[in-house]
Amino acid sequence: MSELFDAVDALLASRAALPPPAERKRLRAAHGLTIDEVATALKVRRATVSGWESGKTEPRPPERDAYARLLDKLAELYPAADKAPSAPATPAAIHAAVPATFTAPPAPAETQPPSAGKTSEAAATTATENPQPPAPVAAIPTAAPRPARAARPSSTSRRPGAKKAAPVGTPAGGADPRFENGPLAVVDVEDDKALAYCTGGLVLDVPAKSIPALVDWTLREAKLGQPKLSGPGKDADPLIVLTEAACERYGLPTALTAEEKHAGRIPEGHKVIKQLARAEWKLTKRGFGPWARIYRPATGSERACVQLCIPSWNALDTRHWGEAGQLPPAELARVLGVYASRVMTPRGSTAVTGLELMTALHPPTRASEPDADGKRHSEHNPGSLGKDAIDPLRCPPCEVPDGHPALKDLPRFHVRGPAEKLFEEAYDWARPMTDAECTLRHLVGIDVNMAFAAGANGLNVGLGEATHVQAPAFDPKLPGSWLVDLSHVDLSHVKVGKEWVDLDGSLLPSPFTPKGERPEGPAWYSTPTVAYAVELGYEVRPVEAWVRYDNGRYLDGWYNRLRDAYLATMADLGVHADTEPTDFLAAMDGYKARDPELAIVVSAVKATVKGGLGKLRERPRGEGWRPGEPWRALSRPTWRPDIRAAVISRTRINLHRKIVKHASFTGQYPIAILSDCVVYAANGPSPLDFLPYREGKPLPGGFKLGINPGLVKWEGTQDVLWGEEVRERFNAPELNLARYIKDGTVTDVDNGE
């Protein structure tokens, strides 16, 4: 009889009612359990539990009985809000009730950016810190929980209302019917079936059994892609992300060998590459690597190209994408989907995508007006960087890095000095603390938000070839490189606005060199650096220059796109523009924990800025290159070291201007500067303990707390004793404490650098 009772209990358990997927996740989180812990207890895979919580799958006996029992016990401990008693909730329940995302849009900014006629660096800085209201950015909608289902439908496509696999906060597909399923999909395998997780919670069955078939299905049936960002541009190709299970299904290794990592691709003789060749698909020169592009030559305006991303091959660099590569498919689709909707569909690393975004916003060519026969032809697109405008092989010798073909006639071991080479880099400067500073208690670091993006905003850059000029009169409106002696500029007596002020120049870094050292003679500088010397009240007499008469604000659209993406995502994390200083500091405290997936997007957006600018002067990457020979990056018109130098120059000058303004008003000087981080000594641990706010208003032209690019946030605080102890321990009185101010952990110390 007991066996019959056990059988009846098992039958009842097999139909046990389970709470909705969102409630399952809430209950687990309320008790502080991880997905891995639940999976281990129930003896199932992590992905299986993730599927139960997202509603992608339903548990089956015998796991269903144990899972239902777990949820019942948790529901007793942490009842839902509408069933909870009036007694105080537990801390875990309070945490579980906090919304996963914030959906308010960023607040409008204060003022318009400067017009093209404005050339003052101060005016440009104001425009950076108070930009135009962001353009509408793809919102992150909140979707209702989906009812559970017992069996998978046979339909190829599961619409979001019927099968929502992604968590709250996933952007929906675009309005373009060609791309109604969004820009990308993450392909995974479960129960021997391939599934494509799209943005908006949509999941598609993937019938393809090979990579060529997957490419064909993507182009014919998946309806993936993204509309072009500019009139003469091209639609974004669909992106397919392959999980480890998908790699196994399609005959690809789940990880690259050491030799393959070094080569950046799998061998040409791999069976998958042979399959593609038989199906008449081609690979780009980079081969089949972490970011593979598979295509057939375009016929007319129709493109046939699919990009693959393989996270297990380190396609998503952890320095920029955090743990995105380890996320379940639905969550990974959400992260990449938000990035794609706000920036663009990833085209490779964040650096590659940053450069591709410039081209997407300013395509090099456009269709001409119809000729006599009514035909249109490809012509140079004004305002872009194209081969018709500039040849990277003909860059001025002072602007190119060592090994460039323009320098092939130099002696083999010649070392170029400042009078031969443009060297505009970010700050890496520090000084010993004064006796007065040692009596203070804290070292407080502040960091400039999106500093290099802010440096690009409103910047006039060359669009055409450079012209060599001897003994020119300096023109701050003319982008270029200038050979000029700035050693006479004395920081002890400078102009701040319209007034001359006296400062302690020994406590300030020079604005003209990355190490903050005073220049000793003529050197090459970008236009913003020379213009700042004039702004400080000193005369400049260039010896020669390479200037670009064809110029424009090429990076404005790029800056606006990335700024809007950054502000919108930070707003979703609860950090809004134009908030009071104390509210801003409170909102920034722990913002990443509110939605770790959106925090990954923020990191990727910032990496897109820095990486994209770095790509403007990409160096050789092996491939048997020898000094004096061209390398692959030189084949593209966007290889522009002068633009990179101008942005860095502008960024460094913007920071120095704020430092001088702060010093003239408060008498406080920085202890250390590293790129966009500045450290001051203060009596309190907060930036508000040394920033001169009066009735909530900051010093005009100085540092201002806020989330807009160009404004500052708190970076970290350490004790003054910590700084002195670290410098004494490593016998480095000028150790750059800005490098370690965030958490106090000191690493990579080498002779004080």
Side-chain angles (χ1 to χ4, degrees), residues 530-601:
V530 185
Y532 186 55
V534 176
E535 181 184 326
L536 291 176
Y538 290 85
E539 184 182 7
V540 296
R541 295 181 179 177
V543 178
E544 60 177 302
W546 289 90
V547 296
R548 291 173 169 85
Y549 296 106
D550 180 13
N551 53 70
R553 290 163 58 160
Y554 173 74
L555 294 174
D556 275 10
W558 183 79
Y559 162 79
N560 289 334
R561 180 85 177 172
L562 291 165
R563 175 205 63 191
D564 292 352
Y566 176 69
L567 292 180
T569 310
M570 289 301 294
D572 290 327
L573 287 165
V575 184
H576 302 279
D578 300 325
T579 57
E580 292 298 318
T582 52
D583 295 337
F584 169 71
L585 292 173
M588 287 294 294
D589 185 18
Y591 76 92
K592 293 182 180 180
R594 294 176 196 142
D595 192 327
E597 293 169 12
L598 288 183
I600 292 174
V601 177

Side-chain angles (χ1 to χ4, degrees), residues 235-255:
D235 296 328
D237 298 318
L239 173 64
I240 296 293
V241 184
L242 299 178
T243 66
E244 290 188 33
C247 287
E248 292 178 352
R249 178 183 182 87
Y250 295 119
L252 294 169
T254 57

Side-chain angles (χ1 to χ4, degrees), residues 71-269:
L71 295 176
D72 285 343
K73 294 295 184 182
L74 292 176
E76 294 177 6
L77 295 172
Y78 312 102
D82 56 346
K83 298 179 181 179
S86 58
T90 64
I94 294 174
H95 176 75
V98 175
T101 59
F102 296 79
T103 56
E110 298 171 5
T111 60
Q112 298 285 330
S115 65
K118 285 189 179 180
T119 58
S120 165
E121 289 291 332
T125 304
T126 302
T128 294
E129 297 173 355
N130 304 293
Q132 301 179 58
V137 181
I140 299 187
T142 301
R146 183 200 53 247
R149 58 178 177 79
R152 179 182 290 120
S154 58
S155 166
T156 300
S157 171
R158 303 181 179 88
R159 305 310 308 169
K163 179 166 177 46
K164 181 187 176 303
V168 171
T170 306
D176 193 319
R178 298 172 300 159
F179 313 127
E180 65 180 28
N181 293 335
L184 56 90
V186 180
V187 176
D188 191 27
V189 178
E190 185 172 332
D191 297 332
D192 200 33
K193 288 191 176 183
L195 301 173
Y197 294 80
C198 307
T199 59
L202 177 67
V203 181
L204 307 176
D205 283 327
V206 183
K209 299 295 179 66
S210 66
I211 290 293
L214 177 63
V215 173
D216 190 66
W217 171 83
T218 301
L219 293 172
R220 292 177 180 271
E221 301 180 38
K223 294 186 177 181
L224 297 173
Q226 194 173 29
K228 58 189 177 182
L229 297 178
S230 174
K234 300 174 182 177
D235 296 328
D237 298 318
L239 173 64
I240 296 293
V241 184
L242 299 178
T243 66
E244 290 188 33
C247 287
E248 292 178 352
R249 178 183 182 87
Y250 295 119
L252 294 169
T254 57
L256 298 179
T257 65
E259 184 178 351
E260 291 168 345
K261 286 180 181 178
H262 180 73
R265 66 186 75 187
I266 58 178
E268 293 296 325

Side-chain angles (χ1 to χ4, degrees), residues 262-513:
H262 180 73
R265 66 186 75 187
I266 58 178
E268 293 296 325
H270 194 280
K271 64 178 183 179
V272 170
I273 297 182
K274 292 180 178 179
Q275 291 173 357
L276 290 169
R278 285 196 297 269
E280 299 183 346
W281 289 106
K282 298 180 180 293
L283 291 164
T284 57
K285 290 183 179 180
R286 77 172 85 177
F288 204 121
W291 291 91
R293 297 189 68 79
I294 303 171
Y295 72 99
R296 286 186 180 131
T299 56
S301 61
E302 293 296 323
R303 289 171 57 83
C305 182
V306 172
Q307 179 148 325
L308 300 184
C309 167
I310 307 179
S312 62
W313 294 8
N314 198 34
L316 301 175
D317 192 325
T318 54
R319 293 173 298 175
H320 310 139
W321 289 101
E323 300 302 318
Q326 307 300 319
L327 291 174
E331 283 82 351
L332 179 56
R334 179 202 181 203
V335 169
L336 295 177
V338 172
Y339 179 89
S341 67
R342 294 181 172 177
V343 180
M344 70 179 299
T345 303
R347 296 287 304 272
S349 66
T350 50
V352 170
T353 304
L355 192 68
E356 291 288 341
L357 180 61
M358 296 180 196
T359 303
L361 293 169
H362 289 284
T365 60
R366 68 178 183 182
S368 68
E369 293 296 325
D371 59 17
D373 298 326
K375 293 184 179 180
R376 296 180 183 269
H377 306 277
S378 177
E379 66 178 13
H380 173 66
N381 183 27
S384 70
L385 304 178
K387 273 289 185 182
D388 293 339
I390 187 168
D391 183 353
L393 293 176
R394 296 203 302 268
C395 282
C398 64
E399 293 178 351
V400 300
D402 294 338
H404 189 277
L407 307 175
K408 62 182 179 181
D409 294 331
L410 287 179
R412 183 175 180 184
F413 296 107
H414 178 73
V415 178
R416 295 187 294 162
E420 300 173 277
K421 178 175 64 173
L422 178 68
F423 190 66
E424 296 280 12
E425 297 295 338
Y427 267 129
D428 185 356
W429 170 87
R431 63 169 176 81
M433 283 186 274
T434 65
D435 292 342
E437 289 166 342
C438 288
T439 64
L440 302 177
R441 298 180 58 188
H442 300 283
L443 296 176
V444 185
I446 53 177
D447 179 80
V448 181
N449 296 314
M450 300 269 284
F452 293 100
N457 181 30
L459 180 64
N460 211 29
V461 301
L463 302 177
E465 296 281 1
T467 301
H468 190 218
V469 184
Q470 292 287 349
F474 176 68
D475 184 353
K477 300 179 183 179
L478 199 56
S481 301
W482 309 78
L483 180 61
V484 59
D485 188 352
L486 299 181
S487 60
H488 63 292
V489 178
D490 184 5
L491 296 180
S492 298
H493 187 62
V494 296
K495 253 188 176 182
V496 178
K498 296 182 179 180
E499 298 180 359
W500 286 90
V501 298
D502 293 324
L503 303 171
D504 189 342
S506 65
L507 301 181
L508 286 170
S510 168
F512 309 127
T513 61

Side-chain angles (χ1 to χ4, degrees), residues 92 191 269 344 526 613 649 669 719:
D191 297 332
M344 70 179 299
S526 286
L613 293 172
S649 164
Y669 296 84
D719 294 336

